[in-house]
Amino acid sequence: DGGITQSPKYLFRKEGQNVTLSCEQNLNHDAMYWYRQDPGQGLRLIYYSQIVNDFQKGDIAEGYSVSREKKESFPLTVTSAQKNPTAFYLCASSVAGNSPLHFGNGTRLTVT
Amino acid sequence: DAKTTQPNSMESNEEEPVHLPCNHSTISGTDYIHWYRQLPSQGPEYVIHGLTSNVNNRMASLAIAEDRKSSTLILHRATLRDAAVYYCILRDVGGTSYGKLTFGQGTILTVHP
């Protein structure tokens, strides 16, 4: 089945450590996105990429980094510079234009 | 980005129709109206989208006002599996906001058996 796989589902880290969240898609979509969701809130865009080797900052990119070396993969690194990293992270993909976004089931990151 | 306004919560009984409203008075000509829904601890799921005309698919119907300043998502017969947070979002395909879906807090729909 085609879809988006985010791993792991739950992730625990100590403060001051960088952590990388995985996102893989087999939908052959050009565009990929990372969103962050805090309890009771809507989603906020961190980074997005329209094509391989290109990506743009979203609304809350500070403290995060991404890479897009392959069409299928768009990993997100939460760096120690991110002041409040504990959140639910969602990856999505789409074909170009106005097409719907397909979301993964998220990674819940807890930093203590 | 144009914003949307939705009620915080709504309730329905199973097998009854549900009308979820959304106001978007500052909508621009290139904004599409998208609806997504999200179950707890899951990613959002696409429901439907439209520009000017009413739209139907297997999940729901979307009724868009003539002036496009409001829209209504219609679930024809609510089931317990329809209980979720529903997000109404404007997506501008004409500018530099490619992919920039801006999610508000959405409407929490509760379905009673």
Side-chain angles (χ1 to χ4, degrees), chain A residues 9 31 33 35 37 40-43 45 48 50 59 88 90 95-101 103-105 108, chain B residues 1 32 34 36 38 40-46 49 87 91 93 96-105:
Chain A
K9 189 172 178 64
Y33 315 82
Y35 284 87
Q37 187 173 34
Q41 304 296 314
L43 282 67
L45 182 65
Y48 64 100
Q50 298 180 41
D59 297 318
F88 188 44
L90 288 156
V95 296
N98 188 40
S99 58
L101 268 61
F103 283 86
N105 278 328
R108 192 168 297 280
Chain B
D1 294 333
Y32 277 75
H34 283 243
Y36 286 76
Q38 186 179 24
S41 297
Q42 292 188 24
E45 174 189 29
Y46 166 78
H49 76 283
Y87 296 100
R91 190 174 192 190
V93 295
T96 59
S97 58
Y98 179 91
K100 193 176 177 178
L101 286 181
T102 301
F103 286 74
Q105 294 197 355

Side-chain angles (χ1 to χ4, degrees), chain B residues 2-22:
Chain B
K3 294 288 191 284
T4 62
T5 304
Q6 300 176 252
N8 289 334
S9 62
M10 292 187 64
E11 297 186 18
S12 174
N13 294 319
E14 204 173 6
E15 299 196 3
E16 289 184 355
V18 180
H19 291 233
L20 297 165
C22 182

Side-chain angles (χ1 to χ4, degrees), chain A residues 4-43:
Chain A
I4 297 181
T5 302
Q6 290 188 244
S7 60
K9 189 172 178 64
Y10 298 95
L11 192 53
F12 298 88
R13 281 293 183 270
K14 295 289 188 187
E15 195 173 320
Q17 293 179 335
N18 291 354
V19 59
T20 298
L21 281 59
S22 170
C23 177
E24 303 279 331
Q25 55 102 356
N26 60 4
L27 299 167
N28 199 34
H29 286 172
D30 288 313
M32 296 187 74
Y33 315 82
W34 274 104
Y35 284 87
R36 168 186 172 135
Q37 187 173 34
D38 293 287
Q41 304 296 314
L43 282 67

Side-chain angles (χ1 to χ4, degrees), chain A residues 33-101:
Chain A
Y33 315 82
W34 274 104
Y35 284 87
R36 168 186 172 135
Q37 187 173 34
D38 293 287
Q41 304 296 314
L43 282 67
R44 292 184 290 168
L45 182 65
I46 305 172
Y47 268 98
Y48 64 100
S49 167
Q50 298 180 41
I51 54 172
V52 174
N53 292 322
D54 185 58
F55 47 83
Q56 288 80 40
K57 293 181 179 180
D59 297 318
I60 55 166
E62 186 176 348
Y64 299 98
S65 66
V66 293
S67 63
R68 186 86 187 275
E69 297 176 1
K70 298 187 301 182
K71 188 175 186 178
E72 306 79 32
S73 178
F74 191 40
L76 173 75
T77 297
V78 184
T79 76
S80 57
Q82 168 50 235
K83 296 190 186 326
N84 296 295
T86 295
F88 188 44
Y89 290 88
L90 288 156
C91 180
S93 71
S94 74
V95 296
N98 188 40
S99 58
L101 268 61

Side-chain angles (χ1 to χ4, degrees), chain B:
Chain B
D1 294 333
K3 294 288 191 284
T4 62
T5 304
Q6 300 176 252
N8 289 334
S9 62
M10 292 187 64
E11 297 186 18
S12 174
N13 294 319
E14 204 173 6
E15 299 196 3
E16 289 184 355
V18 180
H19 291 233
L20 297 165
C22 182
N23 287 321
H24 28 78
S25 58
T26 59
I27 191 170
S28 73
T30 53
D31 281 331
Y32 277 75
I33 302 159
H34 283 243
W35 284 82
Y36 286 76
R37 69 182 185 183
Q38 186 179 24
L39 297 171
S41 297
Q42 292 188 24
E45 174 189 29
Y46 166 78
V47 177
I48 200 166
H49 76 283
L51 183 63
T52 57
S53 303
N54 294 344
V55 184
N56 299 295
N57 66 20
R58 64 175 179 81
M59 291 180 70
S61 296
L62 177 59
I64 301 172
E66 197 169 332
D67 63 5
R68 300 209 324 126
K69 293 186 177 182
S70 65
S71 61
T72 302
L73 179 71
I74 302 166
L75 307 178
H76 295 285
R77 291 181 65 200
T79 70
L80 297 178
R81 287 174 294 183
D82 291 323
V85 180
Y86 286 78
Y87 296 100
C88 169
I89 303 155
L90 301 182
R91 190 174 192 190
D92 181 5
V93 295
T96 59
S97 58
Y98 179 91
K100 193 176 177 178
L101 286 181
T102 301
F103 286 74
Q105 294 197 355
T107 297
I108 300 171
L109 175 65
T110 301
V111 180
H112 299 289

